[in-house]
Amino acid sequence: MSTIAIPDCLDSLVCFLNRQTRRVPIESLREHLSTLDVSVDDLQPFMEFGETCYRRNLICNGQWYELLCICWREGQTSLIHNHAGSTCGLRIVTGLATETTFDLLPNGRVSPRCDKEFVTGQVCCTQDADIHQVVNTCPDGGNLVTLHIYSPPLADMQTWQNQDAAI
């Protein structure tokens, strides 16, 4: 089994992540992702797309993180979800994503709060009970590629379908 080399542009990020001895604070993830110089060409070895849903491609991981290249075709969307126990930072490498955030209602259902668009180079961070959904909203059928960090690795989350009660 061959191992794909981590792109040079991610070296300092991976070194930082490997030094962590606890969950990375959300502002630290935001700072590191915001200053990163990464392109589609850099992530090409990790870019695989799914036909029916987005595809999570592992770049590397450690005890306190996982680093993924997530590839989205036209219209592909995440479930409505939170990151129970994890912090998530994502950077748009190319494309346009729309994030919808939700409020949790007393009956366990969720209600949309607002939408925000993220373009190439922008960063979005969430954690714990923050509830959101990410959609590829690229015009003209374009692909969306995002770089994600989960700290610690995403092991558990709640999901909702059609704003119904939690699954």
Side-chain angles (χ1 to χ4, degrees), residues 2 6 14 19 21 31 48 55 66 72 77 91-92 102 107 109 112 126 128 130 132 138 146 149 162:
S2 64
I6 295 172
V14 171
R19 288 192 308 269
T21 58
E31 178 184 335
E48 290 187 34
R55 174 93 184 254
E66 63 183 340
W72 318 67
T77 180
R91 179 185 173 103
I92 308 300
F102 294 84
N107 65 3
R109 296 178 188 272
T126 63
D128 297 327
D130 295 341
H132 76 153
C138 291
T146 56
I149 302 170
N162 301 324

Side-chain angles (χ1 to χ4, degrees), residues 35-151:
T35 59
L36 195 61
D37 184 19
V38 62
S39 71
V40 170
D41 290 339
D42 297 321
L43 297 182
Q44 196 65 45
F46 301 97
M47 288 176 48
E48 290 187 34
F49 290 84
E51 289 305 316
T52 58
C53 66
Y54 66 91
R55 174 93 184 254
R56 297 166 48 96
N57 303 289
L58 181 66
I59 296 172
C60 63
N61 61 353
Q63 180 179 356
W64 290 102
Y65 76 95
E66 63 183 340
L67 181 62
L68 301 164
C69 174
I70 301 186
C71 299
W72 318 67
R73 292 207 186 274
E74 178 183 13
Q76 290 180 339
T77 180
S78 70
L79 292 173
I80 300 168
H81 65 282
N82 65 16
H83 298 104
S86 249
T87 301
C88 171
L90 72 90
R91 179 185 173 103
I92 308 300
V93 178
T94 190
L96 174 67
T98 299
E99 177 198 37
T100 303
T101 55
F102 294 84
D103 292 317
L104 182 61
L105 303 174
N107 65 3
R109 296 178 188 272
V110 292
S111 175
R113 180 182 333 132
C114 68
D115 290 338
K116 184 173 180 186
E117 288 187 340
F118 292 89
V119 297
T120 300
Q122 290 186 308
V123 173
C124 171
C125 294
T126 63
Q127 65 184 10
D128 297 327
D130 295 341
I131 301 170
H132 76 153
Q133 180 178 47
V134 177
V135 180
N136 174 356
T137 49
C138 291
D140 302 323
N143 290 328
L144 170 66
V145 176
T146 56
L147 183 69
H148 280 65
I149 302 170
Y150 295 100
S151 179

